Amino acid sequence: MPLRSDWSARTCSLARGLDVLGDPWGSLVLREVFFGNGRFDAIKQRLEIADTVLSKRLGWLLEAGLLAQRPYQDGNRTRQEYVLTPKGEDSLPVLNAIIIWAEKHLDAPNEVSHVRVIHTDCGRTTSSADTCSHCGVPLSAANTSWHSLKRSEQPLPLAVAPVEMAAAATSAEPAPDNSSTTETEIPA
């Protein structure tokens, strides 16, 4: 039994987008991966989320093509970590917009509970989700950092899709059909 309605076939673009990005847990999982925190146990600890809820959200984000899995060694065991795909990286303006809107309109519980969107090229906080409001340069994961005092005294650079995936996304060849699986592996 699904936990929520399926809006993927709606005629409204906003509804289809919310089907993927409208779930709070899913957006928080994306936040963690943007912060470079892509290992299951680390995401679970940071979000204080149940295994079943996290597994389901990760599965949705894999199926939607926003995340991929990459193997890593944990002692003698090979495990999987989650990384952004180019499609996942393109969700950055949505997350930036939520952060900027919340900072403008919602009270923070304390002084360390603020997050700022920083354009790293000019070093300034921006009030725009997709373009630096100070110098006009388009924002990307490669030139944006988030400053969360709960995490660090300094702004933290954001993770980007691995080079292999970004190159594959821009190639002229059609992507292989992986619809039969929800796991997408990429080279380490």
Side-chain angles (χ1 to χ4, degrees), residues 56-159:
K56 187 167 290 288
R57 285 353 184 252
L58 287 166
W60 286 345
L61 293 168
L62 287 167
E63 186 176 321
L66 277 72
L67 296 180
Q69 292 181 306
R70 175 173 59 190
Y72 73 94
Q73 288 300 123
D74 184 14
N76 293 330
R77 184 174 171 197
T78 300
R79 301 183 78 179
Q80 298 292 321
E81 67 180 338
Y82 298 90
V83 296
L84 293 163
T85 63
K87 186 176 180 179
E89 195 174 321
D90 282 348
S91 71
L92 179 64
V94 176
L95 300 180
N96 283 347
I98 294 169
I99 290 167
I100 292 165
W101 181 87
E103 286 294 329
K104 182 176 180 180
H105 295 289
L106 303 176
D107 293 330
N110 55 51
E111 283 305 309
V112 297
S113 295
H114 293 283
V115 177
R116 305 284 190 248
V117 178
I118 312 289
H119 176 224
T120 54
D121 292 351
C122 73
R124 307 274 304 268
T125 299
T126 183
S127 60
S128 171
D130 62 353
T131 304
C132 179
S133 55
H134 298 283
C135 66
V137 171
L139 298 176
S140 68
N143 70 8
T144 302
S145 58
W146 288 338
H147 190 193
S148 167
L149 289 175
K150 288 186 78 167
R151 290 183 186 255
S152 171
E153 289 294 319
Q154 299 300 317
L156 297 170
L158 300 182

Side-chain angles (χ1 to χ4, degrees), residues 163-184:
V163 174
E164 300 85 11
M165 294 196 73
T170 59
S171 73
E173 297 179 47
D177 179 14
N178 293 330
S179 59
S180 63
T181 178
T182 58
E183 285 188 20
T184 305

Side-chain angles (χ1 to χ4, degrees), residues 7-31:
W7 294 356
S8 62
R10 299 277 179 121
T11 58
C12 173
S13 298
L14 179 60
R16 290 190 312 274
L18 287 170
D19 191 57
V20 177
L21 296 173
D23 175 68
W25 283 121
S27 293
L28 290 172
V29 168
L30 281 173
R31 177 196 72 188

Side-chain angles (χ1 to χ4, degrees), residues 35-47:
F35 269 130
N37 191 21
R39 296 183 178 178
F40 187 93
D41 291 337
I43 297 170
K44 177 184 170 186
Q45 179 182 2
R46 187 71 194 189
L47 295 181

